[in-house]
Amino acid sequence: QGRALMAPYLPRAGAAAGPGGGSPFSEGGALYALGLIYANHGHDMRPFLLEALRGTSNEVTQHGACLGLGARGGRRGGGGEGV
């Protein structure tokens, strides 16, 4: 549900920001919000957040993904490989 709620603000796979894409600030904020929404709820958003982190060169979006990863518990549920 949280991902569907945040979908309009999340980065689109393979799409650059601009017409049809969100601003880096809304994308970064949405990634952070996902981490907060799913923190301690068992649903693992780590793969999605890591993909978002690796899929952009924009520092604002990267920062939001990193905050989301930290908010959801970092290493909980597995090792820290690839982070």
Side-chain angles (χ1 to χ4, degrees):
Q1 284 180 336
R3 191 166 168 185
L5 178 69
M6 300 306 297
Y9 309 102
L10 291 170
R12 302 191 201 311
S23 79
F25 297 101
S26 64
E27 291 176 353
L31 292 169
Y32 179 38
L34 275 182
L36 292 172
I37 290 168
Y38 288 106
N40 300 319
H41 288 297
H43 185 78
D44 190 15
M45 290 303 296
R46 184 175 176 265
F48 178 78
L49 292 169
L50 284 173
E51 181 181 325
L53 176 61
R54 292 181 183 129
T56 185
S57 60
N58 185 284
E59 291 182 7
V60 174
T61 305
Q62 289 174 340
H63 191 80
C66 288
L67 287 170
L69 284 165
R72 63 152 295 280
R75 294 178 57 124
R76 194 182 112 218
E81 68 279 346
V83 179

